[in-house]
Amino acid sequence: MRYNKIRKMDIANGPGVRVSIFLQGCSFNCKNCFNPDTHDFNGGSEFTDEVIEEVLNLCNKDYIKGLSILGGEPMHPFNIRGTIKLAKAFKERFPNKTIWSWSGFLMDNIIDKEIFNYLDVLVDGQFMEEFKNPKLKWCGSENQRVIDIQKTIRAGEIILYSNENTKVFAEEKVYAH
């Protein structure tokens, strides 16, 4: 597995100040993707235990609210085990901080469900240019869902993330993927 970059202080990818890691490799190649330099599985740098430790050390500040895992595609079969390893290590060290992740896969289509033990929020669904909406807070197109993973697991149905500072679509929309 490979990664593209690490942002030490990111305020665009989840609530509060966060550390973000952009994994390398995506097979969706969505039209007008905001991050096309992450599509090549051979690009970026090697993802190692030292990189995990670097990310964890960056998160070890009181003002860091959590970790955001983006891509590329963190849930791709080539990346999912590394994503799980990072998420597990993060939650073991920082159980009170959150993990947000973005995936072009719908939640039900993610192959390794172990990741849901560690994620707090998943933004799922491919970016679709025809449903682009720049007013959305955490995603780029209206077909994407911002899912509260832990509430979803407890309820047995999709529960969208929301708080007093975030507007999300209250109704679930169906789009062809």
Side-chain angles (χ1 to χ4, degrees), residues 60-166:
N60 194 23
K61 295 173 178 65
D62 289 340
Y63 63 86
I64 297 294
K65 300 300 180 201
L67 174 64
S68 295
I69 306 173
L70 306 94
E73 180 52 65
M75 307 304 164
H76 188 280
F78 292 156
N79 292 339
I80 188 71
R81 293 308 310 163
T83 300
I84 290 169
K85 187 175 183 178
L86 172 60
K88 181 178 181 185
F90 176 87
K91 278 299 188 177
E92 286 172 353
R93 195 169 300 178
F94 307 108
N96 297 318
K97 294 186 180 193
T98 62
I99 300 178
W100 281 49
S101 189
W102 281 253
S103 177
F105 291 102
L106 296 178
M107 183 180 172
D108 288 344
N109 296 336
I110 293 174
I111 58 167
D112 196 331
K113 308 296 187 205
E114 181 185 353
I115 190 62
F116 301 136
N117 294 330
Y118 312 111
L119 290 185
D120 296 285
V121 173
L122 173 69
V123 180
D124 80 342
Q126 296 176 39
F127 170 76
M128 299 175 84
E129 180 66 31
E130 60 269 29
F131 300 115
K132 180 178 179 178
N133 183 343
K135 294 179 183 178
L136 297 174
K137 181 87 173 159
W138 308 117
C139 51
S141 58
E142 292 180 6
N143 62 294
Q144 295 172 305
R145 301 178 296 182
V146 182
I147 301 171
D148 185 315
I149 292 296
Q150 299 311 309
K151 287 183 180 177
T152 293
I153 290 170
R154 287 191 298 275
E157 63 181 354
I158 299 292
I159 304 294
L160 298 180
Y161 172 85
S162 66
N163 69 25
E164 60 279 358
N165 299 320
T166 305

Side-chain angles (χ1 to χ4, degrees), residues 2 18 27-28 38 55 102 104-105 110 114 153:
R2 302 181 69 76
R18 312 177 67 77
S27 56
F28 290 121
T38 63
V55 169
W102 281 253
F105 291 102
I110 293 174
E114 181 185 353
I153 290 170

